[in-house]
């Protein structure tokens, strides 16, 4: 246990219980992932979203950061869902895939803030779509693919990203704002912390909010679910 986390024994116990008892009971594929990355967990009261509310996020090194109040105030079942979401960002290799798309530099610097925001939302859509299908409880504020997302398109991060970008471009050309999910839950994405910035430069968070992360995956064409299963079996 790190010196920082040792200040929060009750919060650590609640996290472990949420993952092992609630999440792990019905979805044991998360347990090997958690065993690999839990050493990077940091309970940190500075982790807040832009409005100052306690939050949770993950960085490119698969380290999860969470505000102690976020842990205390979130029901255990939803906390399990929050950590499942965070574990899936690195499992799907979202950071490296963002580098391949030219959204981040090789050292994690945001090269295109709007694209980074759109990539974050696309990653959240892909993750939450699977978590919802798996009947894993999530917070009311999380974002999902819009109900009118074309049925003939893949439900992958890259496909969602291209859809968001095309919708944004079309609406901007018409002088309007980007299309929003009719459910009102598109939001700003969960938020990711990139890898270390280039020397002398600040590592900006991806996304407006600090809630969530992306995992190393198979790149554009592979199924997100297959990536998750392969990573769970083979290690992160």
């Amino acid at each position: 246990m790190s010196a920082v986390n040792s200040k929060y024994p009750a919060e650590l116990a609640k996290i472990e219980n949420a993952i092992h008892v609630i999440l792990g009971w019905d979805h044991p594929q998360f347990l090997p992932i958690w065993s690999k990355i839990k050493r990077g967990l940091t309970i940190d009261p500075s982790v807040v979203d832009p409005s100052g509310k306690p939050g949770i996020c993950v960085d490119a090194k698969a380290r999860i950061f969470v505000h102690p109040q976020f842990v205390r105030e979130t029901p255990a079942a939803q906390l399990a869902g929050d950590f499942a979401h965070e574990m899936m960002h690195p499992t799907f290799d979202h950071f490296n895939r963002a580098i391949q798309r030219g959204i981040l530099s090789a050292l994690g610097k945001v090269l295109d803030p709007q694209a980074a925001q759109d990539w974050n939302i696309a990653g959240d859509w892909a993750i939450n779509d699977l978590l919802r299908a798996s009947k894993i409880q999530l917070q009311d504020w999380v974002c999902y693919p819009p109900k009118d997302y074309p049925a003939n398109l893949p439900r992958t991060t890259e496909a969602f990203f291209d859809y968001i970008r095309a919708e944004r471009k079309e609406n901007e050309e018409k002088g309007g704002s980007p299309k929003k999910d009719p459910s009102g839950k598109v939001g700003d994405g969960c938020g990711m912390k990139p890898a270390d910035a280039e020397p002398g430069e600040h590592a900006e968070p991806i996304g407006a909010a600090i809630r969530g992360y992306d995992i190393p995956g198979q790149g554009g064409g592979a199924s997100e679910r297959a990536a998750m299963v392969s990573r769970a079996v083979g290690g992160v």
Side-chain angles (χ1 to χ4, degrees):
M1 182 186 302
S2 72
V4 174
N5 290 344
S6 65
K7 300 177 182 177
Y8 304 103
E11 288 78 6
L12 278 172
K14 183 175 180 180
I15 292 169
E16 288 283 0
N17 180 75
I19 292 172
H20 286 279
V21 177
I22 298 176
L23 184 63
W25 184 262
D26 291 321
H27 306 279
Q29 67 270 27
F30 283 98
L31 297 181
I33 300 174
W34 175 244
S35 71
K36 298 275 186 168
I37 68 174
K38 67 179 182 179
R39 66 179 65 93
L41 171 67
T42 299
I43 300 177
D44 181 358
S46 72
V47 180
V48 296
D49 67 19
S51 68
K53 294 180 180 179
I56 182 172
C57 65
V58 69
D59 70 5
K61 296 179 180 178
R63 297 176 300 191
I64 299 176
F65 301 83
V66 62
H67 195 293
Q69 186 177 338
F70 184 91
V71 178
R72 291 192 292 266
E73 294 181 350
T74 302
Q78 292 182 352
L79 187 66
D82 291 329
F83 274 84
H85 178 105
E86 300 307 325
M87 284 188 273
M88 289 178 75
H89 275 295
T91 299
F92 288 167
D93 203 17
H94 284 158
F95 288 98
N96 287 331
R97 288 158 71 180
I99 291 171
Q100 293 170 7
R101 282 262 171 158
I103 299 168
L104 300 179
S105 73
L107 294 178
K109 182 179 183 296
V110 174
L111 300 177
D112 184 337
Q114 185 60 70
Q117 176 70 357
D118 292 341
W119 179 261
N120 182 30
I121 294 173
D124 283 355
W125 284 6
I127 290 172
N128 294 335
D129 196 36
L130 290 180
L131 294 181
R132 178 171 55 181
S134 298
K135 302 188 185 307
I136 293 175
Q137 286 194 39
L138 297 171
Q139 305 269 8
D140 290 340
W141 44 256
V142 305
C143 57
Y144 299 102
K147 296 175 182 177
D148 58 354
Y149 180 78
N152 63 320
L153 294 180
R155 300 182 78 82
T156 62
T157 299
E158 281 78 5
F160 287 143
F161 176 76
D162 290 340
Y163 172 83
I164 292 169
R165 300 295 281 177
E167 288 289 309
R168 183 182 300 285
K169 181 178 180 181
E170 179 181 347
N171 280 277
E172 287 175 349
E173 289 174 351
K174 294 179 179 179
S177 58
K179 181 183 286 188
K180 297 294 183 182
D181 178 2
S183 71
K185 295 181 180 178
V186 168
D188 291 313
C190 66
M192 297 181 292
K193 292 181 64 174
D196 295 339
E198 295 172 3
E201 297 193 12
H202 178 65
E204 305 167 32
I206 299 179
I210 298 182
R211 288 192 173 122
Y213 85 82
D214 280 4
I215 298 176
Q218 304 293 325
S223 115
E224 302 278 13
R225 189 182 298 278
M228 177 184 176
V229 171
S230 68
R231 291 287 172 176
V233 173
V236 175

